[in-house]
Amino acid sequence: MHHLRLRLVEAYLYVRAHRLNVVIQPNLKFMYEMLEYEQKMFGTLTCSWPILCNEIHQVNLMYRDEPGAHHQQ
């Protein structure tokens, strides 16, 4: 986020795009801290905390439910 001057959602998508075959699932505490960091860097937030959590969950569901996806038990 800092080096590329990306907002949290942009940084999340950047990492996901560069790790094509890996579902990234950062823990919620880390994501909350990154959201606070975004506010510190830019003075505003891209989205609210509940919306961010829901959107990440929805993206991960798409990858998790793909045929042939590897599930950890």
Side-chain angles (χ1 to χ4, degrees):
M1 286 176 61
H2 179 78
H3 180 72
L4 297 175
R5 300 290 299 163
L6 297 175
R7 292 186 171 272
L8 179 57
V9 173
E10 296 167 327
Y12 179 84
L13 293 173
Y14 178 87
V15 171
R16 181 176 286 284
H18 286 82
R19 298 186 61 156
L20 296 174
N21 63 343
V22 177
V23 175
I24 61 170
Q25 293 183 314
N27 71 49
L28 293 178
K29 174 72 171 153
F30 175 75
M31 291 302 288
Y32 186 77
E33 289 171 358
M34 292 295 95
L35 195 62
E36 288 179 326
Y37 185 66
E38 175 183 301
Q39 187 167 21
K40 181 179 174 183
M41 277 179 55
F42 296 100
T44 60
L45 295 175
T46 315
C47 62
S48 69
W49 175 242
I51 291 171
L52 178 66
C53 291
N54 185 55
E55 291 300 316
I56 290 172
H57 175 69
Q58 294 303 316
V59 168
N60 286 336
L61 282 177
M62 289 187 293
Y63 285 91
R64 188 191 74 193
D65 294 337
E66 284 184 352
H70 298 286
H71 297 283
Q72 292 183 350
Q73 302 261 344

